[in-house]
Amino acid sequence: MGTTERKKREKRQRRDTIIDAAEKIIFSKGLDQATMTEIAKEAELSKGTLYLYFKNKNELYMAITKRGSNILNQKLVKIFSGDHTGIELIRLMGETYLTFVRDNPGYFNAFLHYDSLRDTEDLQNSEIAQICEGNKQEAMALMVRALQIGIQDGTIKSSYNPKELAVIIWASTRGITMINHTMRQTDHHFKMIEDMEVNTDSMFENFLNLVGEGMATKKGQKKYD
Amino acid sequence: MGTTERKKREKRQRRDTIIDAAEKIIFSKGLDQATMTEIAKEAELSKGTLYLYFKNKNELYMAITKRGSNILNQKLVKIFSGDHTGIELIRLMGETYLTFVRDNPGYFNAFLHYDSLRDTEDLQNSEIAQICEGNKQEAMALMVRALQIGIQDGTIKSSYNPKELAVIIWASTRGITMINHTMRQTDHHFKMIEDMEVNTDSMFENFLNLVGEGMATKKGQKKYD
DNA sequence: CTATAAAATGACTGTTGGTCAGTAAGTGAC
DNA sequence: GTCACTTACTGACCAACAGTCATTTTATAG
């Protein structure tokens, strides 16, 4: 009989329930203010049970990171199923990232926290961390692929090393996303520049136009005029 | 007699001693692993005394953020005393930032933590936070000034709004710095891209060349060939 | 030397992450 | 139905730590 199967499924569901509860609490109050007891209560379980499914609070938060990066990567992969030139792919990836972070600031906080972990020992022994790492690498690989496509179809200059360029574009996009995110999170209370509310919506657009002039070929730039 | 003066000076010194101790402990173990008792011990004081000088652990960490941003801004301001074109100033600012973060990863962690704070109430009521905020704005203002100088001296295209451009350049530079920082912190254990150790040293250089083509005039680009 | 103020202390409290001995629920054999 | 056994869950408990405050120590001035 499929008892074993059912048990496994139920266990996965419990796990998901816990992650759901953790997201709800942590996203609303922040990691520090969220307590394991409260998360347990939200999941209608006792605190002890949480520790049967997750080694500790950090690992639970990493499970959220994993879930977030899975969702993001799914969106990124989907872009490639459409019929786009290389430069268009770059733009779409950036916009997708920006939109994802805007709609899911909690996940982005989880990403940032994940990146701030330093205990290499712990990270390497954690299965979840390995998957998070894999997702990061996959996103980067997609960007490389977009650039290679662009070089192939002539929308991106062939003088660049796609891997090097990918890292730069990705890093810059993240930087812009972060400013965006931080400003939203602090409720626009602190302004970056006196007498100027930066239009966060157009920032990535402007960035692409700026970088586009260096990166794209004439053919690749046409789209932006 | 100057007793009052001396007392004030001694109080400042105590404060600095505590910050010194806090840096030593927090930079080496990370904020979470550092305890107030240990910091007190390092400062040769008792825990209670720490709370006479700082409202709580977070405010102490913010004092570190303040100190770090003061040091960084000092370096940034100094750049402007030299005889440089606008585009050169941009490059120098980026390089200064990158070098600062490389040499002082602890301060950068403090910056990141500061940016992640969300409790706007607390932030606004904190004198230290106000100064940190002022430093951020000052750095941004310097970047705007560099761009304005560049537009004036013809090394930067006049078609851009210097304020908008400043935010983009600053954000991108931060993004690149962050990747750099994260990779160093995790001891290069996780690679970004398969079969490729990204040369972190040349990343900003490449970024500037890329952006330079969009931002700089012909005259401004000459320097980079 | 004494009175007063300022500075420093560390025992104490409340909270929280994490543990584990004990309990409950589920499963399969008979 | 019930017994033996396994798996899942519980919450009292512990240790560690941030933050407090009554008390002690030190400095100052008359």
Side-chain angles (χ1 to χ4, degrees), chain A:
Chain A
M1 46 191 105
T3 315
T4 322
E5 276 309 310
R6 199 199 68 218
K7 284 239 175 153
K8 268 193 181 169
R9 196 177 60 239
E10 280 177 358
K11 202 147 187 181
R12 262 201 309 276
Q13 283 170 351
R14 269 264 180 288
R15 232 186 108 92
D16 284 342
T17 306
I18 295 172
I19 301 178
D20 288 343
E23 282 185 3
K24 196 164 173 182
I25 305 296
I26 296 176
F27 286 1
S28 73
K29 328 178 75 173
L31 182 65
D32 286 346
Q33 293 305 311
T35 70
M36 291 302 266
T37 307
E38 196 182 355
I39 292 169
K41 198 176 156 194
E42 175 71 33
E44 292 175 306
L45 291 167
S46 80
K47 181 160 66 146
T49 307
L50 263 53
Y51 287 89
L52 296 175
Y53 290 86
F54 300 93
K55 211 179 75 207
N56 51 38
K57 195 181 182 184
N58 250 312
E59 184 125 333
L60 175 52
Y61 199 39
M62 259 200 268
I64 293 177
T65 305
K66 176 188 155 190
R67 188 188 268 188
S69 60
N70 278 340
I71 296 172
L72 173 61
N73 277 25
Q74 237 173 301
K75 289 182 195 291
L76 292 178
V77 167
K78 199 184 257 175
I79 295 170
F80 284 75
S81 63
D83 182 29
H84 302 292
T85 63
I87 191 89
E88 278 169 359
L89 287 171
I90 297 292
R91 153 179 297 245
L92 286 168
M93 284 184 75
E95 282 170 358
T96 301
Y97 188 54
L98 222 72
T99 305
F100 175 81
V101 171
R102 176 174 314 157
D103 296 344
N104 306 276
Y107 282 134
F108 191 64
N109 281 329
F111 294 172
L112 290 177
H113 181 265
Y114 172 79
D115 276 340
S116 80
L117 299 175
R118 351 211 223 133
D119 206 324
T120 320
E121 297 267 340
D122 275 4
L123 282 178
Q124 287 200 307
N125 295 333
S126 161
E127 198 190 330
I128 301 182
Q130 293 298 322
I131 295 174
C132 291
E133 209 52 33
N135 280 342
K136 266 170 74 172
Q137 282 181 25
E138 192 191 343
M140 189 62 81
L142 288 174
M143 180 126 290
V144 174
R145 202 171 127 208
L147 289 171
Q148 285 168 335
I149 290 172
I151 291 170
Q152 211 79 45
D153 66 24
T155 55
I156 289 173
K157 291 182 188 169
S158 57
S159 52
Y160 288 106
N161 174 339
K163 285 183 180 178
E164 276 178 25
L165 191 54
V167 176
I168 292 171
I169 306 262
W170 189 245
S172 308
T173 305
R174 266 184 88 211
I176 287 169
T177 306
M178 217 178 133
I179 297 264
N180 225 309
H181 171 79
T182 305
M183 285 177 65
R184 275 172 200 283
Q185 189 142 269
T186 55
D187 213 18
H188 294 268
H189 246 301
F190 298 122
K191 289 177 195 156
M192 297 250 80
I193 300 186
E194 200 64 34
D195 298 329
M196 177 200 181
E197 272 290 331
V198 178
N199 185 344
T200 52
D201 292 323
S202 61
M203 252 172 70
F204 181 67
E205 186 70 25
N206 290 335
F207 166 72
L208 258 196
N209 288 336
L210 177 67
V211 168
E213 294 184 47
M215 175 176 70
T217 58
K218 277 269 150 56
K219 178 182 168 194
Q221 280 183 46
K222 266 192 300 190
K223 293 274 175 180
Y224 299 147
D225 295 336

Side-chain angles (χ1 to χ4, degrees), chain B residues 13-221:
Chain B
Q13 283 170 350
R14 270 262 180 288
R15 233 186 107 91
D16 284 342
T17 305
I18 294 172
I19 300 178
D20 288 343
E23 283 185 3
K24 197 164 173 181
I25 304 296
I26 296 176
F27 287 1
S28 73
K29 327 178 76 173
L31 182 64
D32 286 345
Q33 294 304 313
T35 71
M36 291 301 267
T37 307
E38 198 181 353
I39 292 169
K41 198 176 156 194
E42 175 71 34
E44 292 175 306
L45 291 166
S46 80
K47 181 160 67 146
T49 308
L50 264 52
Y51 287 89
L52 296 175
Y53 290 86
F54 300 94
K55 208 180 74 207
N56 52 36
K57 196 180 180 184
N58 249 312
E59 184 124 336
L60 174 52
Y61 199 39
M62 258 200 272
I64 293 177
T65 305
K66 175 187 157 191
R67 189 190 266 187
S69 61
N70 277 341
I71 296 172
L72 173 60
N73 276 25
Q74 237 173 303
K75 289 182 196 292
L76 292 177
V77 166
K78 199 185 257 176
I79 295 171
F80 284 76
S81 63
D83 182 29
H84 302 294
T85 63
I87 191 87
E88 277 170 359
L89 287 171
I90 296 292
R91 155 179 297 246
L92 286 169
M93 283 184 75
E95 282 170 357
T96 301
Y97 187 54
L98 221 72
T99 304
F100 175 79
V101 171
R102 176 173 315 157
D103 296 344
N104 306 277
Y107 283 134
F108 192 63
N109 281 329
F111 294 172
L112 290 177
H113 182 266
Y114 172 79
D115 276 340
S116 81
L117 299 175
R118 352 210 223 133
D119 205 326
T120 320
E121 298 266 339
D122 275 5
L123 282 179
Q124 287 198 310
N125 296 333
S126 160
E127 197 190 331
I128 301 182
Q130 293 297 322
I131 295 175
C132 291
E133 210 52 35
N135 280 342
K136 267 171 73 173
Q137 281 182 25
E138 193 191 342
M140 189 62 79
L142 288 174
M143 180 125 290
V144 174
R145 202 172 126 207
L147 289 170
Q148 284 168 334
I149 291 172
I151 291 170
Q152 212 80 44
D153 67 23
T155 55
I156 289 174
K157 290 182 189 170
S158 58
S159 53
Y160 288 106
N161 174 339
K163 285 183 180 177
E164 276 178 24
L165 191 55
V167 176
I168 292 171
I169 305 262
W170 189 244
S172 308
T173 304
R174 265 185 88 211
I176 287 169
T177 306
M178 220 179 130
I179 297 263
N180 225 309
H181 170 79
T182 305
M183 285 177 65
R184 275 173 199 284
Q185 190 140 270
T186 56
D187 213 18
H188 295 268
H189 245 300
F190 298 121
K191 288 177 197 158
M192 298 251 80
I193 301 186
E194 199 64 32
D195 298 330
M196 177 201 181
E197 273 289 333
V198 178
N199 184 346
T200 51
D201 292 323
S202 62
M203 254 173 69
F204 181 69
E205 186 71 24
N206 290 336
F207 166 72
L208 258 195
N209 288 336
L210 177 68
V211 168
E213 292 183 47
M215 173 176 70
T217 57
K218 277 268 151 55
K219 178 182 169 193
Q221 280 182 47

